[in-house]
Amino acid sequence: MSQRTLPLLIINLGGEMIYILDQRLRAQDENDDKTQRGRWTDADRKRVMNDIVGTMFNKAFLEELLRPQDLYSHRALRTVLTRIAHASIMRLNLASMDKLYDLMTMAFKYQIALCPRPQDLLLITFNHMDTIKELVKDNPSLVNQINEAQRQLIEVYTPISDGEFQLIRHTLLVLFQDMQIRVSIFLKENIQNPNGHFVLQTSGPVPYGFEVPGLIRWFNAKGREVRRTRFPSGGSYVSAVRQGSFDLSGDRVTLLGTNMYSTPSPEEMDPSTTSKSQRKAKQADTMPNPLAKEELNLLAKLMGGMEVQKLSNVDAAFKVNLLALDQEEEGIGISEGTEHQSSRVINIQATQDQLASTELARIAGEFDEGGIPTEGLGNKGDDLLAMMDEL
């Protein structure tokens, strides 16, 4: 296990988190209902992005992050990323954070799987940082913070050997090997199977510095080539045009790590495919039945382990719900704490009911054969979390 894995992991996961939140906040601002009081504005979105980016690239935080250390567990990673997300006026409930974590981890896992060379992990990281700089380009101070973080990464990782980069990639794959969560945006593009496994294409450019497979060369005792034989490689490969830039700026060549949520689907880009009236009719068809709200609330109470979200009791900060109604990764409803929830959205927050917690804990304890308490975060990540509390 490499002790240089954590910085790349946190920055890439944080980048995916920023992509998702930015996309959903923009979608909320473009809502057709412009008369809604207290709606999420573009100024609010920029404030959230600035706060999150400022926390993630804080100097003290990065210094602790770049210290050689073992990789965190998923629980510790979730805690760190939750602290980063909550550095702004936005708040995510537990179920929304679960969904957000699933989306960002599966996106990064896909990028690792498609990474041509182990050292291209650094190019993926730079793509995330370049895109984040574009999102906060109106704030020169944050851009300088990201540039300084990028310089530190160049200083730390460019001298690393290919073998060490391979160990970093192996460490990341081991971390994500049991995560096979289906993501609808991947399923629609046919890059993920229904069982959660990714589809790897046997075509495209080979890694930079490598030859296209399909050729066998014979050499004699003097080292001279005497014969060539070709064989079917099983794919359609081409030579790499050039190597991506590992500098502060430049052409990274690869698109891995860029914002996949910023490009609309081909159907949405073509105005002739769907008219405005057709879009409204489609929204009406997918509108949930209002009677289902009471049924779901009753079901939640009967189950004893779910509590229906009541907006009158939430904080004054903005709430972001990442639970999808129509799409697995895109159905995020955003509302302000003082506003009434729309009847078109059914929100159930999957948090434990206080009245049933004792009985549920007793039942869960019966399945614990050893009676061993759940392992906490331990010492791993404590220094980083304590530093974040001081930011």
Side-chain angles (χ1 to χ4, degrees), residues 205-226:
V206 298
Y208 180 80
F210 291 78
E211 296 183 2
V212 175
L215 177 64
I216 301 176
R217 295 185 178 94
W218 275 266
F219 296 86
N220 59 19
K222 297 182 179 179
R224 294 180 180 177
E225 183 179 338
V226 295

Side-chain angles (χ1 to χ4, degrees), residues 301-320:
K301 293 177 182 178
L302 291 175
M303 290 176 65
M306 303 184 76
E307 179 182 351
V308 180
Q309 183 177 351
K310 297 179 180 179
L311 293 181
S312 59
N313 296 331
V314 298
D315 301 332
F318 287 100
K319 293 285 185 179
V320 176

